[in-house]
Amino acid sequence: MFIPYKKNKGYKIPVIFEFGQQNTRVGYAGTDGPEVVLPSDLLMDSEGNMKFIEQNSTYQPVGFDVKNILLGGQIVDFDIWKEYVEHILNNLLFQERHFPFFFVENGNVKKETRNKIIEMLFEEIDVSSVFFHKNTMLAQYIVGKDNVLVVDCGASHTTITPILDGNVIEKGILRSDIGGEYITNKLYEIWKQQGLAFSRFKNYSQLSPSLQMYGDLEIVREIKHQCVKLYDQPIENLKFNPTVDNQAYELPDQTKLLISEEMYKYPEFLYEPTENFEGLDKALETSLEKIDSDYRKELVQNVILIGGASCTVNMVERFQRTINNLKIFGLSSRSKVQTLPKFFDRQHASWLGASIVASSQIYDQWTLNKSDYDEHGSSLIEKKMFY
């Protein structure tokens, strides 16, 4: 745990929000993990009434559709986003207002969106200050290094980000829309075609198609986390024996699902070339080739692997082999992939980095406070946030 620097008796600990496509993470600076992790989905009926998903309930409300607070990583309905944030503050954190707000920002947030968020935070949610920090940079604070190559395998994306002297090198960033949820959806498609029933909701037949699918995918994710794994080398080298290489999983209706070749096949999407991404091994090499040759050696020896999809069984070992096989240095065999030992920490690495940053003794100097906002407007954040 990190202990935030307290300047006076009226000091309030910053609250850190990280909005992901699958989950939202919220908690206090100085702690070793988010206090609240909840779906970035909510429920809405045809009249615009909203409900929040009860994660542990086996029944869900009839007449509601699932709606995500983000679309492609962007907030598209600020009224819904505001209600979502206020629900967390009022009902989950029981947070008093006029507090410092730390926003962990993904890589493709637009300036106009950022300014609108700041406006709502000050004028409607009543925060005392705001601070924005790009998520890809936050992992470097966990390992305490200025020069790193961050490989983030998240739910909705895979991103490779080189950082030199604490600054993101834009030309070296490579991003793919293939992440953990892509694998989840592929598994769901093939198993659904087999007529399998996944949902844990007892009133399944009464629910909207989107809510039915939400329940189905929850089960598929659980299967993926328990049974799916990467082979430790390219899958074409795999000698698969279906009578031995399989696992059984009992579905909610007590049907036995026998998982065989798909346990290895579908995680390979992270390594296979697509229209916009070369696959992890080639993309890593491409990113490094765009960096000045003087820095390549240090970056390849300081690769950080984070994100929920990085928790796939054998992912670290496979990625280590990928680095060892790099052809552009001849020094890669001396390199070691750095990652966090606990899956929870790996999933929430950006949030943990934010917890460290917001605990700094000079954190207040970086923030945009209410008086700054009143005098200069939201655009001042551009001079204060970390890219």
Side-chain angles (χ1 to χ4, degrees), residues 78 81-82 116-125:
F78 284 93
W81 179 82
K82 176 196 168 189
K116 179 65 175 177
I117 292 170
I118 293 171
E119 178 184 319
M120 295 193 77
L121 288 173
F122 279 121
E123 298 185 9
E124 300 187 42
I125 296 177

Side-chain angles (χ1 to χ4, degrees), residues 67-275:
K67 185 177 182 65
N68 197 282
I69 61 169
L70 303 178
L71 180 62
Q74 299 284 342
I75 299 169
V76 291
D77 190 321
F78 284 93
D79 290 332
I80 291 176
W81 179 82
K82 176 196 168 189
E83 188 163 343
Y84 183 83
V85 170
E86 289 187 328
H87 168 74
I88 294 172
L89 295 174
N90 296 335
N91 302 315
L92 301 178
L93 287 184
F94 306 102
Q95 173 67 41
E96 295 180 2
R97 297 311 168 92
H98 210 63
F99 62 92
F101 191 106
F102 189 120
F103 191 104
V104 179
E105 182 181 283
N106 65 44
N108 61 346
V109 170
K110 299 176 182 177
K111 180 179 178 179
E112 298 78 15
T113 299
R114 187 182 305 123
N115 290 342
K116 179 65 175 177
I117 292 170
I118 293 171
E119 178 184 319
M120 295 193 77
L121 288 173
F122 279 121
E123 298 185 9
E124 300 187 42
I125 296 177
D126 186 24
V127 302
S128 60
S129 65
V130 297
F131 182 65
F132 283 64
H133 199 304
K134 294 289 187 182
N135 58 358
T136 50
M137 292 181 62
L138 288 165
Q140 68 177 319
Y141 302 114
I142 300 174
V143 297
K145 295 183 178 180
D146 289 333
N147 298 334
V148 293
L149 188 67
V150 180
V151 180
D152 183 358
C153 298
S156 61
H157 66 275
T158 296
T159 307
I160 299 175
T161 307
I163 300 174
L164 294 173
D165 297 325
N167 298 304
V168 172
I169 307 303
E170 296 285 344
K171 65 181 180 181
I173 296 176
L174 293 176
R175 181 182 175 92
S176 165
D177 291 334
I178 294 179
E181 282 300 275
Y182 185 88
I183 298 169
T184 300
N185 290 325
K186 287 294 183 181
L187 289 167
Y188 179 58
E189 287 174 12
I190 186 173
W191 288 333
K192 197 68 174 176
Q193 289 173 4
Q194 298 173 16
L196 296 171
F198 292 96
S199 183
R200 56 187 171 85
F201 301 141
K202 294 183 178 179
N203 60 336
Y204 183 86
S205 62
Q206 299 174 286
L207 302 178
S208 67
S210 63
L211 194 42
Q212 289 178 345
M213 180 178 286
Y214 177 88
D216 290 353
L217 290 175
E218 285 286 287
I219 298 296
V220 176
R221 289 187 195 104
E222 185 176 314
I223 299 171
K224 182 184 71 173
H225 294 155
Q226 291 185 19
C227 304
V228 170
K229 60 187 74 175
L230 271 164
Y231 195 45
D232 62 1
Q233 53 186 299
I235 196 169
E236 55 263 26
N237 299 326
L238 173 62
K239 296 179 180 179
F240 188 79
N241 185 345
T243 61
V244 176
D245 298 320
N246 62 66
Q247 292 189 54
Y249 184 93
E250 185 174 296
L251 297 172
D253 65 354
Q254 299 185 330
T255 300
K256 296 287 186 181
L257 171 63
L258 190 65
I259 305 162
S260 54
E261 191 171 2
E262 60 264 37
M263 81 168 70
Y264 290 109
K265 177 181 177 180
Y266 287 93
E268 285 294 319
F269 281 114
L270 295 171
Y271 282 88
E272 291 181 358
T274 64
E275 183 179 350

Side-chain angles (χ1 to χ4, degrees), residues 3-19:
I3 306 299
Y5 174 67
K6 298 186 178 182
K7 296 172 67 174
N8 52 56
K9 292 182 179 179
Y11 173 83
K12 289 188 177 181
I13 299 175
V15 180
I16 303 166
F17 276 75
E18 181 180 12
F19 300 93

Side-chain angles (χ1 to χ4, degrees), residues 19-30:
F19 300 93
Q21 194 70 40
Q22 183 177 337
N23 291 315
T24 293
R25 294 163 279 274
V26 188
Y28 295 101

Side-chain angles (χ1 to χ4, degrees), residues 303-323:
V303 177
I304 305 174
L305 182 63
I306 60 171
S310 74
C311 301
T312 304
V313 176
N314 291 336
M315 179 66 174
V316 176
E317 294 79 2
R318 173 69 174 273
F319 198 69
Q320 180 67 61
R321 185 184 292 269
T322 296
I323 291 181

